[in-house]
Amino acid sequence: MRLLHTSDWHLGRSFHRVPLLGAQAAFLDRLVATVRERAVDAVLVAGDVYDRAVPPLSAVELFDRALHRLAEVGVPTVMISGNHDSARRLGVGAGLFGRSGIHLRTGPEDCGTPVVLADDHGDVAFYGLPYLEPALVKDALRAAKTSHEAVLTAAMDQVRADLAARPEGTRSVVLAHAFVAGGAPSDSERDITVGGVAAVPAGVFDGVDYVALGHLHGSQRLTERVRYSGSPLAYSFSEADHRKTMWLIDLDAEGNIAAEERVDCPVERPLARLRGRLDTLLEDPALGRHASAWVEATLTDPVRPADPMARLAARFPHVLNLVFDPERPPEDPLSSYAQRLRGRDDHQIAEDFVAHVRGGSGPSDRERTLLRAAFDDVRVDTSVREVSP
């Protein structure tokens, strides 16, 4: 059975205020063409269909057209909600969509209920595990505790129980939207971790033939059977070196991966991250190849130059982002505060602030627990408000 694995469409998103709807429509054209031309048997969409819980009408219309086109092709599609989606809104009409071969899985109650498709070698059971916010789904899944690993383990227990009751030789595919340990994140993903504690081990998914992951925007293979497709477009300059693709996976009669291929997504405009003094960026002939790219320029001039954006735009018409990182010795007290924060999450920054105001004494274990709980409460409250009427 040939699978086309994609995720993280983020319909409705812009790139530094540049609308991406046209580029997203071009990607969906490529997806449908791939389904037609490569004899795909099932399309897998592993969450974050939209960029926010209440997407703009233009994004909804694009999604609606995509569903109609996939239904017309006659190839089944299995789709889950991600942490950017409103699970309840995305799931409206799931029963009707299912009759057209578009199978939406957006709630914890359906984790153990697969979409079953068949080929010449028998059945393949597709299980959809949408983004599972621990505080909201712990009781529904009867998880041991409130953590991402616990709720995903409980969901996978349902998957394995259902699979064990099916005929011997039934192959299995799981779609999940989660931060799995070993994956490389990008700047454009909404954080679902606090200090890394929400990353779940890949072993949670043991016992199935293929795991189609969503959430991280870089295409990557965690194990032979556990993979991220990545986003079809770059949504931050941290993805400048990404090759944006979909996974084309062939499962053989025993559930092994008999063949794999990365199908390239269309690139509307390349990204370039340039660094150096302003005069160098304006005069270096080797940088001329970036004239048509979206550009992020990091200026290292010790003193901020005059009108840097306008001067850069004269050579790089599509410059979108300007960063200042002056060249200074490490001991310089004016060394960039942003540089000191680089790579640190909100919880670590809060702990540093406590240490700063106390003159060097960081939070106690009890205070760290309270800080973590506060960040978790904010994230859960945001999730609840996004789906409220």
Side-chain angles (χ1 to χ4, degrees):
M1 182 169 286
R2 176 163 291 179
L3 314 175
L4 186 64
H5 167 197
T6 178
S7 73
D8 295 273
W9 296 355
H10 289 279
L11 300 181
R13 189 165 185 150
S14 60
F15 185 77
H16 290 270
R17 297 179 297 281
V18 175
L20 292 177
L21 211 64
Q24 291 171 333
F27 156 68
L28 291 171
D29 289 344
R30 176 68 56 83
L31 183 148
V32 173
T34 301
V35 171
R36 292 181 183 274
E37 296 166 5
R38 303 300 299 275
V40 170
D41 296 305
V43 177
L44 314 179
V45 186
D48 280 354
V49 174
Y50 291 121
D51 189 56
R52 57 181 186 264
V54 184
L57 180 59
S58 56
V60 177
E61 291 173 339
L62 182 58
F63 178 60
D64 180 64
R65 291 198 298 273
L67 292 187
H68 278 83
R69 294 172 70 189
L70 287 169
E72 288 169 2
V73 172
V75 174
T77 297
V78 185
M79 182 178 297
I80 61 173
S81 52
N83 59 300
H84 279 250
D85 299 309
S86 164
R88 289 173 61 185
R89 288 189 175 94
L90 187 63
V92 169
L96 289 173
F97 292 149
R99 298 176 189 176
S100 299
I102 308 294
H103 304 280
L104 294 169
R105 293 292 186 267
T106 62
E109 64 280 357
D110 294 324
C111 288
T113 305
V115 176
V116 180
L117 305 177
D119 62 10
D120 293 340
H121 305 293
D123 289 346
V124 182
F126 293 82
Y127 299 89
L129 277 56
Y131 172 66
L132 300 170
E133 175 57 54
L136 299 180
V137 303
K138 173 182 177 290
D139 292 339
L141 290 172
R142 299 180 182 177
K145 58 182 180 180
T146 307
S147 73
H148 282 271
E149 183 174 354
V151 296
L152 273 171
T153 297
M156 282 301 301
D157 286 344
Q158 293 186 15
V159 168
R160 284 185 279 263
D162 180 85
L163 191 58
R166 294 189 175 275
E168 185 177 354
T170 299
R171 290 158 290 165
S172 55
V173 174
V174 165
L175 292 76
H177 196 88
F179 183 11
V180 180
S186 306
D187 292 343
S188 56
E189 299 132 6
R190 180 187 295 173
D191 187 28
I192 61 173
T193 74
V194 179
V197 297
V200 301
V204 164
F205 301 103
D206 285 351
V208 296
D209 295 315
Y210 184 73
V211 181
L213 293 175
H215 180 58
L216 300 186
H217 289 179
S219 177
Q220 48 201 301
R221 182 194 289 108
L222 303 186
T223 72
E224 184 64 16
R225 298 180 183 274
V226 181
R227 309 181 185 209
Y228 283 100
S229 67
S231 60
L233 279 69
Y235 292 119
S236 71
F237 277 103
S238 68
E239 301 167 54
D241 295 330
H242 286 190
R243 176 188 167 198
K244 296 299 184 180
T245 60
M246 301 173 279
W247 280 112
L248 195 64
I249 300 292
D250 286 355
L251 284 185
D252 67 15
E254 285 73 41
N256 298 312
I257 296 176
E260 63 178 67
E261 181 183 342
R262 291 178 65 185
V263 179
D264 287 297
C265 299
V267 178
E268 179 182 49
R269 192 178 298 282
L271 307 186
R273 304 183 91 177
L274 309 182
R275 180 182 180 87
R277 297 194 177 198
L278 179 59
D279 288 345
T280 301
L281 299 186
L282 294 177
E283 298 168 5
D284 186 349
L287 300 181
R289 68 185 188 277
H290 300 304
S292 63
W294 277 324
V295 169
E296 177 186 71
T298 299
L299 300 185
T300 60
D301 302 71
V303 178
R304 184 175 299 209
D307 301 320
M309 198 66 166
R311 294 165 67 186
L312 283 166
R315 187 180 193 194
F316 306 106
H318 306 286
V319 61
L320 295 180
N321 195 39
L322 188 59
V323 179
F324 292 96
D325 189 11
E327 295 171 346
R328 294 194 179 104
E331 65 276 10
D332 191 321
L334 296 178
S335 182
S336 170
Y337 178 68
Q339 188 173 18
R340 296 200 302 272
L341 295 184
R342 191 170 297 145
R344 304 182 69 77
D345 60 38
D346 291 344
H347 186 262
Q348 292 168 325
I349 293 169
E351 288 194 12
D352 288 348
F353 176 76
V354 172
H356 172 72
V357 297
R358 287 180 175 171
S361 175
S364 65
D365 289 344
R366 179 175 178 276
E367 289 168 333
R368 285 191 179 91
T369 300
L370 289 173
L371 281 171
R372 194 178 302 284
F375 281 110
D376 282 344
D377 286 347
V378 169
R379 189 182 69 251
V380 172
D381 181 65
T382 299
S383 298
V384 171
R385 283 188 286 107
E386 284 181 344
V387 300
S388 297

